[in-house]
């Protein structure tokens, strides 16, 4: 019987598959890479061949340019690709548009690399699909019991209520450019906001890409200050860094809001001088992580990055074999 490390093993470059001679989400350029999703800490340019979902390939081309890799290999969800005798199948991860878990199978052993994922509904991407496996390799960004994210609609409702309370102020929502911004826009639409939403220029290309992939974002307009226009009573979506930039001071007495799972930590909200913290995350919280491990019920759990100690202890108390890989190079983009 083969050992899991013979199929996937942690290396300084990322998870490596010796029989298939490829890496999953490598942190440096390699000859052959399987990419789980388009965030920069998982999807880097310069690889020889990239296998990913069509949407992730489009995201990488949008962010890095058409020459981000020598060869693109599109793998739609559920389609099995065989390389050097190793089967690779991508299934939805529910993180952002095109995000996938990598299901790797060889000589009867199945290992699933979750990439980043969440379990709650997201109107901008396909939901997470659990896959039975021998080894489940999971993230643990919010791998502590203190992280329990509230309902998304309730968080967006705070923005809509604030607009009623402060109709003369611009409400500026800081949201990560890929995934979070588009999801917040859709949640606002579902909450009843039909007026135009104004967006920072850094979000425009990815917004167009989402719409090209069938995600209706409604009327969007550039957040460009014009003479006599201060955007009082309007919603502006921008990268989190723009909240502290001089650019934001041009709006009407802005209410600063930051959309992140880390907004449950009050010290982080105070540190950023966020007036309206919104706990909206694209990562699984503690309950979602543990529910996923229970549902998948793997023979062994590997934890790639995040708060490994909490999830390791949870596994230990339940007799679930687990180990922490402590992979480096995967930033927490929500920070």
């Amino acid at each position: 019987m083969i050992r899991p490390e013979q199929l996937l093993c942690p290396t300084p470059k990322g998870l490596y598959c010796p029989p298939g001679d490829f890496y999953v989400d490598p942190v440096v350029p390699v000859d052959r890479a399987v990419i789980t999703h388009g965030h920069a800490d998982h999807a880097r340019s310069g690889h020889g061949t990239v296998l990913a979902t069509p949407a992730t390939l489009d995201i990488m081309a949008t962010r890095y340019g058409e020459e981000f890799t020598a060869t693109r290999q599109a793998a739609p969800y559920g389609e099995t690709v065989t390389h050097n005798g190793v089967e690779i199948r991508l299934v939805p991860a529910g993180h952002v548009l095109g995000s996938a878990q990598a299901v790797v199978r060889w000589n009867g052993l199945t290992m699933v690399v979750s990439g980043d994922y969440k379990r709650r509904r997201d109107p901008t991407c396909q939901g997470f699909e659990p896959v039975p496996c021998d080894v489940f390799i999971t993230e643990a960004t919010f791998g502590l019991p203190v992280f329990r994210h509230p309902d998304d609609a309730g968080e967006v409702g705070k923005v809509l209520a604030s607009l009623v309370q402060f109709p003369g102020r611009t409400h500026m929502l800081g949201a990560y450019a890929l995934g979070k911004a588009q999801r917040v826009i859709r949640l606002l639409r579902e909450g009843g906001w039909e007026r135009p939403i104004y967006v920072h220029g850094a979000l425009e290309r990815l917004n167009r890409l989402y719409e090209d992939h069938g995600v209706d974002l409604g009327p969007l307009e550039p957040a460009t200050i014009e003479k006599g226009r201060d955007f009082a009573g309007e919603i502006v979506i921008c990268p989190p860094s723009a909240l502290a930039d001089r650019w934001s001071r041009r709006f009407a007495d802005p209410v600063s809001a930051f959309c992140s799972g880390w907004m449950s930590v009050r010290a982080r909200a105070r540190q950023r001088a966020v007036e309206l913290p919104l706990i909206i995350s694209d990562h699984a919280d503690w309950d979602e992580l543990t529910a996923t491990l229970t549902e998948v019920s793997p023979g062994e759990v590997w934890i790639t990055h995040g708060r490994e100690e909490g999830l390791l202890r949870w596994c230990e108390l339940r007799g679930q074999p687990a180990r922490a890989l402590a992979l480096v190079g995967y930033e927490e983009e929500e920070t």
Side-chain angles (χ1 to χ4, degrees):
M1 183 176 180
I2 63 171
R3 294 179 294 106
E5 293 82 358
Q6 292 176 269
L7 178 55
L8 286 173
C9 59
T11 76
K13 294 181 180 180
L15 283 172
Y16 177 61
C17 176
D21 191 24
F22 62 82
Y23 290 83
V24 180
D25 291 349
V27 297
V28 297
V30 298
D31 289 338
R32 181 173 291 272
V34 174
I35 302 298
T36 61
H37 67 281
H39 281 145
D41 56 334
H42 290 256
R44 291 168 167 84
S45 63
H47 304 307
T49 297
V50 168
L51 183 148
T53 63
T56 294
L57 292 174
D58 288 346
I59 288 167
M60 293 181 74
T62 297
R63 305 190 89 178
Y64 300 128
E66 294 295 332
E67 305 302 319
F68 71 90
T69 183
T71 305
R72 305 182 201 184
Q73 187 173 3
Y77 289 135
E79 180 179 294
T80 298
V81 175
T82 302
H83 182 71
N84 290 351
V86 177
E87 296 180 359
I88 308 162
R89 182 164 56 94
L90 302 181
V91 299
H95 182 54
V96 296
L97 178 70
S99 62
Q101 305 167 76
V103 182
V104 183
R105 183 171 176 80
W106 179 64
N107 284 353
L109 179 69
T110 301
M111 302 179 72
V112 175
V113 184
S114 73
D116 290 339
Y117 67 99
K118 66 179 180 293
R119 298 303 305 268
R120 62 188 59 203
R121 172 185 171 274
D122 184 333
T124 68
C125 68
Q126 289 189 235
F128 179 97
E129 293 183 9
V131 178
C133 57
D134 300 295
V135 180
F136 185 64
I137 306 175
T138 181
E139 62 138 317
T141 300
F142 292 104
L144 290 173
V146 296
F147 294 116
R148 288 183 162 95
H149 304 324
D151 178 66
D152 297 337
E155 294 302 287
V156 168
K158 294 177 182 178
V159 178
L160 301 177
S162 182
L163 282 158
V164 173
Q165 185 176 5
F166 303 110
R169 302 179 68 184
T170 305
H171 284 62
M172 306 192 66
L173 279 56
Y176 194 69
L178 170 58
K180 184 69 63 64
Q182 296 78 26
R183 179 176 166 210
V184 168
I185 290 170
R186 278 301 313 156
L187 290 171
L188 286 165
R189 299 303 186 198
E190 291 181 356
W193 188 264
E194 299 178 351
R195 287 158 54 180
I197 293 174
Y198 297 87
V199 296
H200 188 283
L203 310 181
E204 291 179 359
R205 289 189 304 160
L206 288 170
N207 287 344
R208 284 197 298 270
L209 184 147
Y210 265 68
E211 293 193 307
D212 289 343
H213 280 265
V215 179
D216 181 12
L217 300 178
L220 302 177
E221 295 185 14
T224 305
I225 292 292
E226 301 170 356
K227 189 174 182 179
R229 182 77 186 278
D230 60 7
F231 294 86
E234 303 292 356
I235 296 175
V236 174
I237 310 283
C238 63
S241 59
L243 291 175
D245 191 81
R246 283 189 300 175
W247 174 84
S248 67
R249 300 172 198 162
R250 299 178 293 175
F251 296 89
D253 190 16
V255 174
S256 65
F258 185 22
C259 308
S260 170
W262 295 109
M263 288 298 96
S264 61
V265 181
R266 293 180 181 178
R268 295 212 180 194
R270 288 196 300 267
Q271 183 181 25
R272 286 180 170 268
V274 174
E275 184 174 350
L276 185 60
L278 302 174
I279 307 170
I280 301 176
S281 176
D282 285 330
H283 293 266
D285 67 5
W286 174 256
D287 291 330
E288 293 173 60
L289 289 168
T290 56
T292 299
L293 297 187
T294 300
E295 184 175 9
V296 173
S297 188
E300 189 172 345
V301 173
W302 292 3
I303 306 169
T304 56
H305 62 287
R307 274 73 199 152
E308 302 102 328
E309 63 280 0
L311 213 50
L312 280 173
R313 180 60 175 163
W314 183 89
C315 290
E316 179 186 349
L317 292 174
R318 284 155 183 76
Q320 168 70 67
R323 59 179 287 201
L325 304 184
L327 297 182
V328 298
Y330 301 103
E331 307 295 331
E332 295 160 2
E333 71 273 0
E334 293 196 358
T335 62

